[in-house]
Each structure stands twice: as structure tokens, then as C-alpha cells.
Amino acid sequence: MSKRDYLFTSESVSEGHPDKVCDCISDSVVDTFLAADPQARVACETLATTNRVVLAGEVRGPASITKDVLIDVTRQAIKDIGYEQEGFHWHRANVECLLHSQSADIAQGVDAAGNKDEGAGDQGIMFGYACTETPELMPAPLYYAHEILRLMAADRHAGKAPMLGPDAKSQVSLQYVDGKPVCATSVVVSTQHSAAVDQDQVREIVRPYVTKVLPPGWMCDEPHFYVNPTGRFVIGGPDGDCGLTGRKIIVDTYGGAAPHGGGAFSGKDPTKVDRSAAYAARYLAKNAVAAGLADRCTIQLSYAIGVSKPLSVYINTDGTGHVDEDKLVKVLQQLIDLSPRGIRTHLGLNLPIYRRTSSYGHFGRKPEADGGFSWEKTDLVGQLRGAF
């Protein structure tokens, strides 16, 4: 029997965190290629440090997307985040683009040819998860950690929080009783700030965001509300710490509440199953929970490079399921083709919709009219209920 009373913690990081700056740039590159050619291929990694950014990886797309275009895209992404600081400035930073053509060996395994369907862009395992802890069907600690930083960033961009800088982190610990979250036992927020304010002032700037996000009566006691525990956070972003694409994969997914296959999402076009199959697994898990078939659902998919169909499909409802799991596996595979092409077609993934995913989580977001976050739709609920 699983443990029912416990504490669980998840963290989030803001769009100005060094690693998230890199995720944003890499996904901006993906969007640039997909906007020009929906069949473009991109695997872009970004490194950012003091006034320096390096792009590296492999691409296949229109010749019109030159290195100069991608350098401009990089600068715009940094500017939109809000970096105009001495140690990291969107205009003054040295940006180097080392992207080159995709390997022909990889391309031949992925491309469709003759009777061969399009294959997966790599081997690997991908997980999807959903639970009833929040209306978004996301784990509560991660959802609240994201929301605190998202609201702070929104006010910073709107000019309502001028003393806050782009770089920030949050961490929320919740107490669970009988398997359900009931209150926060500690909250940690570290945020870059102007040198004109001290730690106590930053604490009071941050407090309203935390109390607004947490449900009424959930706020932790004062000794366990930590704001900038080091005392000062003026130097931040890539000037304070080197950033790399793909180093915040638990922040991107479920905050540690569910397994992760290990592959990052940002910088990859949707032929890469690290991204598209993880989206598909979340889509299926969320629809199963939204249909009332389980309170928690974990789905694993596995693929081999160049092979179109998944090698395995696994479902675990952690004892909360109301239907036979073996039947659920079969029904879900009847509702969506889990080949790379089938996933991209069903969810409409060959669109420039990825930069917006690079901060505050790839999951638990609202589907958007232009196809963004399509994997968050619950349009299979009726068919699932009908099947059971």
C-alpha cells in the first residue's frame, strides 16, 4: 500500500534563469524554422554565460534562415526576457552560431521512403502523467511553484514590479494527508532584485504573489517562508551562472511527482520523440483522468530510432483506477496513432508553438487557438467514457 501521509516538494525557475534563457533561445530557433518550413528539422543546444551566447547543433531547413537571422532571433529572445544588464545584455552580448546541417545517417532513419513510414528521431523512453490534485490535472507543488514565478514575471513585464529582476527560483513543500495536499509547510523564493532594495523589502514584494497563488489557509508559518536566503541576489542570469539547454527537465514536466525518461524537450522539432511522444503520453494520461477512469495515471512509451511504432506502451494508475488497465492500454492506442507522424498529425505539432513552452512548464497549460499546448486538450473524454 502506498504511503498516504507525507511531505512533497517541487521547484520551478523563471524565464530569466540561465538554463531557461537557453531553453527559450533554442525553442525560438525551432519556431523560426517551423514557421518557414513545417517539415524542418532542428536540434539546437544553447550555452549562455557572461555576455556570451553559443548556439550549436544540427538543422535542416530553408537556406533563407542564415546564421545572421538566428543571431537576431537570439537577441530578440534575450530582450523579451528583459536582460539589459551590464553582465548580460541582449544587444551587447557576443552571439556565436555554430549550427550545421543534419547528419545524413540520422535523416535516412527518420525520413519516410517507399513503404517505410517515418521513424522516430531517436531511441528512448517517455512518460506522461496526470492527477486530480489541481483543476489542471497537475501535481499541486509544481503547479503552485510555477504560478508564483509566472505572476511575478507578468508584473515585472508590466512595470508593476520594477525592483525585481528576470532571474528567480521557487520551491513549494506541501503536506499530504490521506494522499491529498492540505497545506504548505515551507515556501522558498529567490529572486534577482535591484540593489536599491534589501532582503526585508524583497520579502514583502514577494509575499503577495505566494498568498495569491496558494489556496486560502495554506500559507506556511513565517519561519518557513524563505525569501532570498543568501541575503542578496543582484547579480543573476547567465552573468551569475552559466546556462545550458535542457537542464531543467523535472521543472518542465511534473516536479518529480512522476518518472521522467531523461530527454529534454527544448530545441527539438517534433520528429524527436523526446518531445512529441512525451506530449502524447501527457495527452493520453490527462484524458484518462479527465474521463474519471483514474485519479492518477502514468503512461510510458518507448521507441527505437528509425522505427515508427512504439516498442511498448505501459499504464499505471497507482491503485486509483476504476477500469481494467490492460483494456485501457488497448483503447488509448485505438484513439491515437502513436507513430511519430501520427502524434504530430493528431496534435498538430508542426507549428511554431514552442518558445512559449520554455518557461513555467510544458504541461498544465491551457490549449491555445493557434495550436499551442494542443496536448492539454481533453477531447478524448467522450470516447473513453463510451469505451468503458
Side-chain angles (χ1 to χ4, degrees):
M1 182 178 293
S2 60
K3 191 174 182 180
R4 304 291 292 171
D5 298 339
Y6 55 90
L7 300 181
F8 195 83
T9 303
S10 295
E11 71 158 347
S12 181
V13 297
S14 73
E15 65 205 58
H17 183 280
D19 296 330
K20 281 292 152 197
V21 171
C22 294
D23 285 346
C24 179
I25 293 170
S26 292
D27 276 338
S28 296
V29 170
V30 172
D31 283 356
T32 300
F33 274 93
L34 292 180
D37 178 5
Q39 304 305 318
R41 302 285 168 77
V42 183
C44 176
E45 311 294 342
T46 303
L47 176 149
T49 185
T50 302
N51 270 333
R52 189 173 188 87
V53 178
V54 179
L55 308 182
E58 303 78 45
V59 297
R60 187 175 79 189
S64 59
I65 303 178
T66 63
K67 291 186 176 182
D68 286 341
V69 168
L70 295 176
I71 288 171
D72 288 343
V73 167
T74 298
R75 294 193 188 281
Q76 187 61 50
I78 298 170
K79 183 179 182 181
D80 291 344
I81 292 169
Y83 275 111
E84 294 186 347
Q85 300 172 3
E86 182 178 353
F88 196 68
H89 195 290
W90 67 271
H91 184 64
R92 294 198 298 267
N94 183 329
V95 181
E96 189 173 4
C97 181
L98 304 179
L99 291 164
H100 59 81
S101 297
Q102 183 187 48
S103 160
D105 290 348
I106 293 176
Q108 73 175 0
V110 176
D111 292 344
N115 293 326
K116 173 185 172 296
D117 193 10
E118 184 178 286
D122 202 354
Q123 71 174 45
I125 57 176
M126 301 84 206
F127 286 92
Y129 179 73
C131 64
T132 56
E133 292 180 16
T134 62
E136 294 74 18
L137 303 185
M138 287 291 288
L142 179 67
Y143 177 76
Y144 298 134
H146 280 326
E147 279 297 287
I148 291 167
L149 297 184
R150 190 186 65 79
L151 293 181
M152 289 169 57
D155 277 1
R156 176 174 60 83
H157 286 299
K160 298 177 182 178
M163 294 301 173
L164 298 182
D167 193 358
K169 301 179 77 172
S170 64
Q171 185 170 285
V172 175
S173 299
L174 297 185
Q175 181 177 1
Y176 284 71
V177 175
D178 196 23
K180 297 181 180 180
V182 297
C183 67
T185 58
S186 66
V187 177
V188 184
V189 180
S190 296
T191 179
Q192 189 180 17
H193 60 86
S194 164
V197 292
D198 60 25
Q199 185 181 20
D200 290 339
Q201 291 171 305
V202 175
R203 183 185 187 87
E204 296 313 311
I205 292 172
V206 167
R207 186 188 301 275
Y209 297 102
V210 178
T211 56
K212 181 176 181 179
V213 165
L214 293 177
W218 280 38
M219 183 63 177
C220 62
D221 60 22
E222 198 65 15
H224 293 98
F225 177 41
Y226 304 95
V227 176
N228 286 8
T230 62
R232 179 179 168 88
F233 189 0
V234 174
I235 299 173
D239 186 30
D241 190 11
C242 179
L244 292 169
T245 300
R247 285 205 302 195
K248 289 292 176 283
I249 58 176
I250 300 303
V251 170
D252 286 342
T253 53
Y254 307 103
H260 193 293
F265 302 157
S266 291
K268 299 176 181 177
D269 74 78
T271 66
K272 278 71 171 175
V273 283
D274 275 343
R275 178 166 228 159
S276 56
Y279 291 173
R282 161 65 179 176
Y283 173 66
L284 294 178
K286 183 177 183 180
N287 274 270
V289 172
L293 307 186
D295 294 333
R296 289 194 297 276
C297 183
T298 301
I299 295 180
Q300 184 206 59
L301 306 175
S302 70
Y303 292 85
I305 188 168
V307 178
S308 80
K309 295 295 183 180
L311 305 184
S312 65
V313 180
Y314 162 84
I315 291 181
N316 182 3
T317 57
D318 195 24
T320 70
H322 309 299
V323 298
D324 180 74
E325 290 181 355
D326 291 337
K327 181 178 178 181
L328 182 56
V329 169
K330 294 176 182 177
V331 169
L332 289 175
Q333 291 182 85
Q334 292 168 359
L335 296 180
I336 176 174
D337 174 3
L338 289 172
S339 68
R341 186 201 301 271
I343 292 170
R344 294 202 324 278
T345 301
H346 189 101
L347 296 178
L349 298 182
N350 285 98
L351 296 170
I353 54 174
Y354 296 106
R355 174 176 162 174
R356 69 194 75 171
T357 69
S358 64
S359 299
Y360 314 116
H362 292 244
F363 308 124
R365 312 283 288 271
K366 293 182 178 179
E368 297 177 347
D370 66 352
F373 301 104
S374 61
W375 49 93
E376 291 297 310
K377 295 186 294 185
T378 53
D379 54 349
L380 300 181
V381 166
Q383 296 175 77
L384 283 169
R385 287 175 176 166
F388 290 93

